Amino acid sequence: MTTPDLRALLRAPEQVPSTASAPPTAATPTMPASGAPATPAMPAMPAMPASGVPAAPAEVPTTPPAEVPGLPTTAQPGVFSPESARKDVPILHRTVNGQPLVWLDNGATTQKPRQVIEAVSAYYSAANSNIHRGAHTMAREATELYEAGRTAVAQFLGAPSPDTIMFVRGTTEAVNLVAQSWGRAHLGPGDDILVPVLEHHSNIVPWQLIAEETRARVVPVPLTPDGEIDQDAYADLLSARTQMVVVSQASNVLGTVPPVREMTALAHRYGAKVLVDGAQAVAHMPVDVQALGADFYAFSGHKLFAPTGIGALYATPGAMAEMRPWQGGGNMIESVSFERTTFAAMPHMMEAGTGHISGVVGLLAAIDWLRGFDQQAVAAYEEALMSYAMQAMATVPGLEVIGSAAQRIAVMTFTLAGHDPASVADWLDKDGIAVRAGHHCAQPALAHYGLESAARASFALYNTSGEVDQLVASLRRLQQAGQGAEGA
Ligand code: PLP
């Protein structure tokens, strides 16, 4: 058998002819070949006690510490060190505007470890082929990789089988797929689709479109002042008319982690289907779709350290049986004639055309990378980092964090008195700190707080308390400089 072990190949890309290590272009930040930082060492998270809770910041410095205590080089049992992730992510070692990059825009997209970058490069260097239809060795190898990606996603989500996983471009496409393929066949006049007010636009608008077409209703589920989904209102809104409940496992703007499992169980009592948007959850918490009980679960690879343009949709076999083709083309058929066309079995029926094969390879590598860390320890670290950030941000005069849900991921949306969010992001950018400003594709959630726009810092496992300090120091300088310094 001459077929190489492609998964091993992707894990050891140095064996691939070295097109992967092209010299940096003018636009590429220079990095040493080792991938080690070209810029000064990053500030370290203070050593965490065994409980996983960092000591409260005694005093938040107004400038980043010049001398940074060394990071543990070996992992301590049960304690996650962000440096173990940082060292793999080359882009985190570039500079922006002359400053070491502080990437706090993980809610928009996450940065990619070299394992992902090299896997994609290795795929194109050694294994590129179209899949499924080819009769040659390379097609078989690429198909093996693609299906290995499906298996990895199924395992990552706790799904019962790879056949429950459909590849899509991302969460947005997944929701549209369900709205079109399931919704068009099952929704009609008088039916309700329950949509919490904190949802991302991509979990609102596809439902509005299909509701308009089928004359169903999109019913908003209100929020409490804390930014939780109002569970009493939710229970009251459920009825025999409810066909679909959608809910994010974590909000991209408020960070809220709703009780999805309980909400799902309640929806099922009314015979409704439940779609869970996992876009913001997958990088921050272990996911188990079977424990959640979700009928559909969607996520985007690029928020999980994988490339853009690839994501996955899980559906239970029961939900799959109720889905109709939503796009026609190659790969999704069994046979075609002008008299009668028949379709491939699920999940292929939902994957018309050539898929994003290199994206799947990258997603496979990202899942492998993430699973290399202790997921519980990562979650505990992020929780500790978030509580550190909440305390530190509270010391910035005029800063207000939006939302105060009891359970939340490491996302902090805020306003700063006297400064519009765009100018806050602009100011921070000059210090090399990337945060997002705007409506965060969640206008109803912001409107709940009387806002049209806000700034957002969103963290991932590779962020450090030193970076939080830099954020806070920069915001304090902005406040000290006063309004006149805006955008300076
Ligand atoms: N849902 C949530 C909660 C999100 O945060 C996002 C993106 O920010 C999306 C859906 C849409 O994801 P994508 O643009 O990758 O399709």
Side-chain angles (χ1 to χ4, degrees):
M1 172 98 164
T2 52
T3 307
D5 177 352
L6 288 170
R7 292 200 65 183
L9 171 73
L10 293 175
R11 286 209 189 91
E14 64 274 14
Q15 292 165 10
V16 174
S18 64
T19 45
S21 51
T25 63
T28 312
T30 310
M31 275 182 299
S34 67
T39 49
M42 289 289 140
M45 179 81 173
M48 286 204 300
S51 69
V53 180
E59 210 181 72
V60 176
T62 51
T63 52
E67 288 293 326
V68 175
L71 284 163
T73 49
T74 51
Q76 300 163 37
V79 178
F80 174 77
S81 155
E83 189 56 27
S84 60
R86 288 188 81 77
K87 70 177 172 37
D88 288 338
V89 184
I91 209 169
L92 295 178
H93 306 294
R94 67 164 282 181
T95 57
V96 169
N97 296 321
Q99 302 296 323
L101 169 65
V102 176
W103 183 256
L104 300 180
D105 197 14
N106 295 287
T109 200
T110 51
Q111 298 299 354
K112 316 307 173 202
R114 68 181 159 70
Q115 288 86 340
V116 169
I117 300 165
E118 289 173 356
V120 172
S121 177
Y123 168 74
Y124 280 124
S125 302
N128 177 52
S129 169
N130 210 329
I131 53 169
H132 293 307
R133 56 178 81 114
H136 51 76
T137 303
M138 300 272 289
R140 277 196 299 278
E141 288 175 0
T143 305
E144 266 173 39
L145 274 175
Y146 197 74
E147 295 307 325
R150 202 187 298 278
T151 303
V153 170
Q155 285 169 354
F156 179 70
L157 296 181
S161 134
D163 292 344
T164 59
I165 304 298
M166 294 156 271
F167 285 121
V168 287
R169 277 195 299 133
T171 311
T172 303
E173 187 171 73
V175 177
N176 278 279
L177 188 162
V178 177
Q180 299 290 321
S181 74
W182 180 89
R184 187 171 289 126
H186 286 86
L187 295 170
D191 288 341
D192 286 350
I193 306 156
L194 267 49
V195 180
V197 166
L198 53 60
E199 294 305 309
H200 189 278
H201 295 166
S202 66
N203 207 13
I204 300 174
V205 182
W207 301 109
Q208 291 175 325
L209 292 173
I210 198 68
E212 195 181 340
E213 196 179 311
T214 58
R215 299 185 48 222
R217 279 195 319 171
V218 171
V219 180
V221 184
L223 302 181
T224 67
D226 288 344
E228 313 260 14
I229 298 172
D230 184 330
Q231 294 300 317
D232 292 337
Y234 170 62
D236 288 346
L237 288 168
L238 280 166
S239 75
R241 290 189 306 276
T242 312
Q243 297 298 327
M244 172 63 81
V245 171
V246 303
V247 60
S248 283
Q249 199 179 7
S251 155
N252 68 311
V253 62
L254 305 176
T256 308
V257 176
V260 170
R261 190 180 179 151
E262 291 73 12
M263 290 177 70
T264 302
L266 199 53
H268 283 166
R269 277 200 232 152
Y270 291 84
K273 291 272 184 289
V274 178
L275 179 145
V276 179
D277 171 347
Q280 294 294 337
V282 280
H284 301 289
M285 61 184 81
V287 176
D288 184 338
V289 288
Q290 293 188 85
L292 285 179
D295 300 283
F296 301 99
Y297 189 97
F299 77 91
S300 303
H302 72 100
K303 297 192 197 281
L304 187 71
F305 316 104
T308 49
I310 187 68
L313 171 67
Y314 155 84
T316 59
M320 276 187 162
E322 296 183 6
M323 293 164 86
R324 299 280 307 138
W326 80 304
Q327 290 178 342
N331 281 335
M332 54 78 71
I333 54 87
E334 184 188 60
S335 77
V336 177
S337 73
F338 284 98
E339 289 72 41
R340 183 162 180 267
T341 290
T342 55
F343 303 113
M346 292 288 251
H348 307 291
M349 191 170 82
M350 291 295 147
E351 295 178 358
T354 298
H356 187 2
I357 308 163
S358 65
V360 170
V361 169
L363 180 56
L364 174 56
I367 289 173
D368 268 359
W369 180 73
L370 193 58
R371 289 177 71 138
F373 303 110
D374 174 342
Q375 296 307 293
Q376 300 292 351
V378 168
Y381 171 75
E382 287 188 16
E383 200 182 321
L385 184 65
M386 179 64 174
S387 89
Y388 179 81
M390 290 291 275
Q391 292 172 60
M393 293 286 264
T395 68
V396 179
L399 188 142
E400 201 179 324
V401 173
I402 314 303
S404 50
Q407 296 289 322
R408 58 192 297 178
I409 54 163
V411 162
M412 193 184 290
T413 298
F414 62 92
T415 55
L416 192 62
H419 303 274
D420 72 76
S423 61
V424 170
D426 221 40
W427 172 278
L428 292 171
D429 183 52
K430 290 184 172 52
D431 282 341
I433 302 168
V435 302
R436 183 159 175 199
H439 57 54
H440 309 289
C441 299
Q443 286 179 316
L446 280 185
H448 177 67
Y449 291 96
L451 296 170
E452 288 179 0
S453 167
R456 180 187 71 184
S458 48
F459 302 89
L461 76 173
Y462 42 58
N463 290 121
T464 67
S465 66
E467 291 179 313
V468 171
D469 294 343
Q470 285 172 269
L471 169 69
V472 167
S474 184
L475 289 169
R476 291 176 75 106
R477 281 197 300 275
L478 174 58
Q479 277 306 49
Q480 278 158 17
Q483 222 148 349
E486 264 190 45

